[in-house]
Amino acid sequence: MADLLHHHKHHDPTNQGIVSVPHGPETGDDHASYPYAHNPDNEKAIFAYLLHPDDSYTPEGVYWADLPIHKRIAFVAKTDNQEALKELRSIGSMMKKDPLSPIGWYLRNAVLPGAGLGLESYVLFSIGNLTPLFQAAWPACWKSFKVCNEQWVNAVTYLEVVGIIVGQILVGIIGDGIGRRWGLIQDAMIMLLGLIMLVASWGTSLNGWVVCYAWSLFVYGIGVGGEYPMTATAAMENATGSGRVSTKEDRLHRGRNVTTAFLMQGWGQFFNQVILIILLLIFHHGSGNPPYSKVATQWVYRVSFAIPAVGTLWLVYYRWYKMPLASKQLNAIKKKANVTGYDLQSLKLTFYHFGPRIFATAGGWFCNDVFFYGNKLFQSQFIKVISPTSSNNVMTGWLWNLLNVGVSLMGYYLASFLIDNKNYGRKWMQQLGFLMDFILFVVPAFHYKYYTSIEGIHAFQAMYFLSSFFNQFGPNAVTFLVAAEVFPTPVRATAHGFSAAIGKCGALLASVLYNYITTQQKFYVVPWFGLGGMLITAIFLPDTTGLDLKEQERRWEYIRSGRESEYHGVAVHKQHLSLWERLRGIGKYYDPELDYQSKINDMRADWEAKQAEKQTNEDGLASEEDEYNAEVHSYFHATGNNSPFLKPMKQQQPSTDSDDMNEKAAS
């Protein structure tokens, strides 16, 4: 920014020469000698592309959310179409040079950032997939509970969810206190430890093995929990950068960048199901039909967990050596606020100013996880309704689930495609997803006998798959994004981790409750969480679609310095505030003209601070050198050696063994 302001130049029509704009966005009397110093139009021309980028403002400087609805729709459509055309041209240029280069780009920008989520999803949803196989191979343990304790069998799902909750809160705090990079590395290492335990788990009895299996999942769950806040914050902040000025890529594609990493969760489910099918065919002599031998089940179980262990080991390496700048934005914010360690003041201010947002992100995630984990962890029970024969044939249930995962992936990708569209975006997407899940569960709840009969089974099947689609194309993707997006950088991981942990309480509720109620009763219970999630979203969640994240950080600087009423920017525009915040009058400070002057002043303050820091560093280096020279000359004076040929900066070199031998020989 400083270089940009310092070197920006204008053509002078009077002198037919080039004159420099004042150092920094200064327009005061000290720069009266500059011909354009007091020209507001000239100032706006200089800073328009910084303060009023064309993807968010009209040529007249009107913010897109201030436009009448018909003009807003046209502006958004034009901007998105231009960006889409630009991206298509870029893809075309890449393919001319290398036809496979778009694949490489996708691997670097979507697969790698979401690798941790893909691996944890693979393991997480193995539980629901492996349970039918365990029940078929060890019915006395997993079905009738004659040789295994029923509570420990049920604890397999409980303990994993508890581990996730612990990891989300703990690693969220660590990620804000120590840094994103260490949080990412730590997650991968804990997941690796958990996978080693899963592969090696054993017991002197079947019940002993179940106990070991459950505690291994608890350890693994801690790493899984940490992946949520760390992946979300890292993916968002790496795209945003640490300076005051954001990029067009961030403004137009921030949501896509985060959700493309998040949708690796869907691919984790997909590959888990595919690999389990392949392993069962390999170890069960090419057949997926019962009965299933205990040896084949052991091999399927252990190899299926050994595969992600290899991937997680690579993830540890990648995060350790290839992500040195993961904490760059967090460090920049802390440095500016003169904070080291955990920023407790920001945490207190966040709960005070953004308490309703925490309720929105945590409450929405809770409602979503009753749907999501109820659907996934106990999907075998739902599939039995669709395909009654799957109760005896594990392969049949797995194939139905594979189809369901494919439908879910379509929802993930469509969410990624539309989540940054200003005419639709985060809030509408989450509300629609909750509403559709409510409808698709409440209809079969009150007509259960018909929809599970031969006449209605296909309609039931369609509703079940559509519920999976709208869950991904809605609350499951949006909750992950907004829980990081609506909070300031210093406590972003903590707020995200807390929201996710409350969400997992919904998963815990589902995992406990679903063990004690029938399938039909589940349909009576679940829909109301969809309705509740929709209402929480409508009232308490702000819409950050199209909001420059740097503006939110700028507003936070004003809040932290006790000047909330002096912020007049778009972060308090009614478009980006929740209904609750608007009713409280937070949007009353929005004023584009006052905000323009505030931005100029903020940029000037940034520039002057950087110049002062630069001068301080230069003076510090000079004073250190002067102090060193003074000490050297004092030494010479004390020893009586004032030879001008002795160089103060010359350092004594350490002697080598050969030097010592030569000195001894000379003596």
PDB file of all heavy atoms in Angstrom, residues 652-667:
ATOM      1  N   GLN A 652      36.415 -12.005  15.545  1.00  0.00           N
ATOM      2  CA  GLN A 652      37.405 -13.069  15.680  1.00  0.00           C
ATOM      3  C   GLN A 652      36.825 -14.373  15.175  1.00  0.00           C
ATOM      4  O   GLN A 652      35.706 -14.743  15.519  1.00  0.00           O
ATOM      5  CB  GLN A 652      37.808 -13.229  17.157  1.00  0.00           C
ATOM      6  CG  GLN A 652      38.884 -14.277  17.371  1.00  0.00           C
ATOM      7  CD  GLN A 652      39.252 -14.393  18.838  1.00  0.00           C
ATOM      8  OE1 GLN A 652      38.719 -13.674  19.657  1.00  0.00           O
ATOM      9  NE2 GLN A 652      40.157 -15.298  19.144  1.00  0.00           N
ATOM     10  N   GLN A 653      37.558 -15.084  14.326  1.00  0.00           N
ATOM     11  CA  GLN A 653      37.105 -16.349  13.787  1.00  0.00           C
ATOM     12  C   GLN A 653      37.455 -17.477  14.743  1.00  0.00           C
ATOM     13  O   GLN A 653      38.519 -17.482  15.357  1.00  0.00           O
ATOM     14  CB  GLN A 653      37.779 -16.622  12.421  1.00  0.00           C
ATOM     15  CG  GLN A 653      37.436 -15.575  11.363  1.00  0.00           C
ATOM     16  CD  GLN A 653      35.964 -15.579  11.035  1.00  0.00           C
ATOM     17  OE1 GLN A 653      35.341 -16.636  11.013  1.00  0.00           O
ATOM     18  NE2 GLN A 653      35.400 -14.399  10.805  1.00  0.00           N
ATOM     19  N   PRO A 654      36.583 -18.424  14.891  1.00  0.00           N
ATOM     20  CA  PRO A 654      36.895 -19.552  15.783  1.00  0.00           C
ATOM     21  C   PRO A 654      38.072 -20.359  15.252  1.00  0.00           C
ATOM     22  O   PRO A 654      38.208 -20.573  14.053  1.00  0.00           O
ATOM     23  CB  PRO A 654      35.594 -20.380  15.752  1.00  0.00           C
ATOM     24  CG  PRO A 654      34.914 -19.990  14.469  1.00  0.00           C
ATOM     25  CD  PRO A 654      35.275 -18.562  14.227  1.00  0.00           C
ATOM     26  N   SER A 655      38.905 -20.769  16.167  1.00  0.00           N
ATOM     27  CA  SER A 655      40.091 -21.525  15.755  1.00  0.00           C
ATOM     28  C   SER A 655      39.720 -22.953  15.432  1.00  0.00           C
ATOM     29  O   SER A 655      38.780 -23.511  15.985  1.00  0.00           O
ATOM     30  CB  SER A 655      41.119 -21.511  16.880  1.00  0.00           C
ATOM     31  OG  SER A 655      40.570 -22.123  18.045  1.00  0.00           O
ATOM     32  N   THR A 656      40.465 -23.534  14.513  1.00  0.00           N
ATOM     33  CA  THR A 656      40.248 -24.933  14.140  1.00  0.00           C
ATOM     34  C   THR A 656      41.300 -25.790  14.815  1.00  0.00           C
ATOM     35  O   THR A 656      42.253 -25.305  15.405  1.00  0.00           O
ATOM     36  CB  THR A 656      40.358 -25.094  12.613  1.00  0.00           C
ATOM     37  OG1 THR A 656      41.676 -24.710  12.220  1.00  0.00           O
ATOM     38  CG2 THR A 656      39.354 -24.198  11.892  1.00  0.00           C
ATOM     39  N   ASP A 657      41.123 -27.099  14.725  1.00  0.00           N
ATOM     40  CA  ASP A 657      42.092 -28.012  15.324  1.00  0.00           C
ATOM     41  C   ASP A 657      43.483 -27.818  14.721  1.00  0.00           C
ATOM     42  O   ASP A 657      44.495 -27.874  15.413  1.00  0.00           O
ATOM     43  CB  ASP A 657      41.633 -29.459  15.114  1.00  0.00           C
ATOM     44  CG  ASP A 657      40.372 -29.758  15.910  1.00  0.00           C
ATOM     45  OD1 ASP A 657      40.102 -29.006  16.871  1.00  0.00           O
ATOM     46  OD2 ASP A 657      39.669 -30.722  15.569  1.00  0.00           O
ATOM     47  N   SER A 658      43.526 -27.567  13.395  1.00  0.00           N
ATOM     48  CA  SER A 658      44.841 -27.390  12.750  1.00  0.00           C
ATOM     49  C   SER A 658      45.511 -26.122  13.229  1.00  0.00           C
ATOM     50  O   SER A 658      46.732 -26.069  13.380  1.00  0.00           O
ATOM     51  CB  SER A 658      44.653 -27.352  11.221  1.00  0.00           C
ATOM     52  OG  SER A 658      43.799 -26.278  10.859  1.00  0.00           O
ATOM     53  N   ASP A 659      44.731 -25.058  13.492  1.00  0.00           N
ATOM     54  CA  ASP A 659      45.311 -23.826  14.027  1.00  0.00           C
ATOM     55  C   ASP A 659      45.933 -24.081  15.387  1.00  0.00           C
ATOM     56  O   ASP A 659      47.031 -23.600  15.690  1.00  0.00           O
ATOM     57  CB  ASP A 659      44.237 -22.743  14.147  1.00  0.00           C
ATOM     58  CG  ASP A 659      43.728 -22.303  12.799  1.00  0.00           C
ATOM     59  OD1 ASP A 659      44.490 -22.431  11.828  1.00  0.00           O
ATOM     60  OD2 ASP A 659      42.572 -21.826  12.718  1.00  0.00           O
ATOM     61  N   ASP A 660      45.241 -24.830  16.249  1.00  0.00           N
ATOM     62  CA  ASP A 660      45.776 -25.141  17.577  1.00  0.00           C
ATOM     63  C   ASP A 660      47.071 -25.925  17.470  1.00  0.00           C
ATOM     64  O   ASP A 660      48.032 -25.674  18.215  1.00  0.00           O
ATOM     65  CB  ASP A 660      44.738 -25.962  18.373  1.00  0.00           C
ATOM     66  CG  ASP A 660      43.492 -25.130  18.677  1.00  0.00           C
ATOM     67  OD1 ASP A 660      43.591 -23.888  18.639  1.00  0.00           O
ATOM     68  OD2 ASP A 660      42.425 -25.735  18.931  1.00  0.00           O
ATOM     69  N   MET A 661      47.124 -26.882  16.555  1.00  0.00           N
ATOM     70  CA  MET A 661      48.338 -27.693  16.385  1.00  0.00           C
ATOM     71  C   MET A 661      49.493 -26.824  15.924  1.00  0.00           C
ATOM     72  O   MET A 661      50.640 -26.979  16.384  1.00  0.00           O
ATOM     73  CB  MET A 661      48.085 -28.817  15.384  1.00  0.00           C
ATOM     74  CG  MET A 661      47.111 -29.879  15.897  1.00  0.00           C
ATOM     75  SD  MET A 661      46.739 -31.105  14.625  1.00  0.00           S
ATOM     76  CE  MET A 661      48.352 -31.827  14.398  1.00  0.00           C
ATOM     77  N   ASN A 662      49.252 -25.874  14.997  1.00  0.00           N
ATOM     78  CA  ASN A 662      50.303 -24.999  14.506  1.00  0.00           C
ATOM     79  C   ASN A 662      50.853 -24.102  15.609  1.00  0.00           C
ATOM     80  O   ASN A 662      52.042 -23.850  15.700  1.00  0.00           O
ATOM     81  CB  ASN A 662      49.782 -24.138  13.358  1.00  0.00           C
ATOM     82  CG  ASN A 662      49.505 -24.961  12.121  1.00  0.00           C
ATOM     83  OD1 ASN A 662      50.109 -26.022  11.943  1.00  0.00           O
ATOM     84  ND2 ASN A 662      48.591 -24.494  11.254  1.00  0.00           N
ATOM     85  N   GLU A 663      49.860 -23.595  16.473  1.00  0.00           N
ATOM     86  CA  GLU A 663      50.304 -22.739  17.565  1.00  0.00           C
ATOM     87  C   GLU A 663      51.204 -23.515  18.528  1.00  0.00           C
ATOM     88  O   GLU A 663      52.213 -23.014  19.023  1.00  0.00           O
ATOM     89  CB  GLU A 663      49.090 -22.170  18.307  1.00  0.00           C
ATOM     90  CG  GLU A 663      48.329 -21.122  17.489  1.00  0.00           C
ATOM     91  CD  GLU A 663      47.107 -20.623  18.225  1.00  0.00           C
ATOM     92  OE1 GLU A 663      46.894 -21.061  19.366  1.00  0.00           O
ATOM     93  OE2 GLU A 663      46.371 -19.801  17.658  1.00  0.00           O
ATOM     94  N   LYS A 664      50.846 -24.769  18.825  1.00  0.00           N
ATOM     95  CA  LYS A 664      51.646 -25.585  19.736  1.00  0.00           C
ATOM     96  C   LYS A 664      53.018 -25.864  19.132  1.00  0.00           C
ATOM     97  O   LYS A 664      54.046 -25.811  19.819  1.00  0.00           O
ATOM     98  CB  LYS A 664      50.933 -26.905  20.018  1.00  0.00           C
ATOM     99  CG  LYS A 664      49.691 -26.722  20.892  1.00  0.00           C
ATOM    100  CD  LYS A 664      48.985 -28.065  21.116  1.00  0.00           C
ATOM    101  CE  LYS A 664      47.735 -27.876  21.961  1.00  0.00           C
ATOM    102  NZ  LYS A 664      47.026 -29.146  22.176  1.00  0.00           N
ATOM    103  N   ALA A 665      53.061 -26.122  17.834  1.00  0.00           N
ATOM    104  CA  ALA A 665      54.339 -26.400  17.183  1.00  0.00           C
ATOM    105  C   ALA A 665      55.250 -25.170  17.216  1.00  0.00           C
ATOM    106  O   ALA A 665      56.454 -25.256  17.446  1.00  0.00           O
ATOM    107  CB  ALA A 665      54.091 -26.849  15.738  1.00  0.00           C
ATOM    108  N   ALA A 666      54.643 -23.992  16.998  1.00  0.00           N
ATOM    109  CA  ALA A 666      55.451 -22.757  17.015  1.00  0.00           C
ATOM    110  C   ALA A 666      56.004 -22.479  18.399  1.00  0.00           C
ATOM    111  O   ALA A 666      57.130 -22.015  18.550  1.00  0.00           O
ATOM    112  CB  ALA A 666      54.580 -21.596  16.541  1.00  0.00           C
ATOM    113  N   SER A 667      55.219 -22.761  19.424  1.00  0.00           N
ATOM    114  CA  SER A 667      55.713 -22.512  20.782  1.00  0.00           C
ATOM    115  C   SER A 667      56.788 -23.487  21.181  1.00  0.00           C
ATOM    116  O   SER A 667      57.646 -23.178  21.972  1.00  0.00           O
ATOM    117  CB  SER A 667      54.551 -22.591  21.769  1.00  0.00           C
ATOM    118  OG  SER A 667      53.984 -23.890  21.792  1.00  0.00           O
TER     119      SER A 667
END
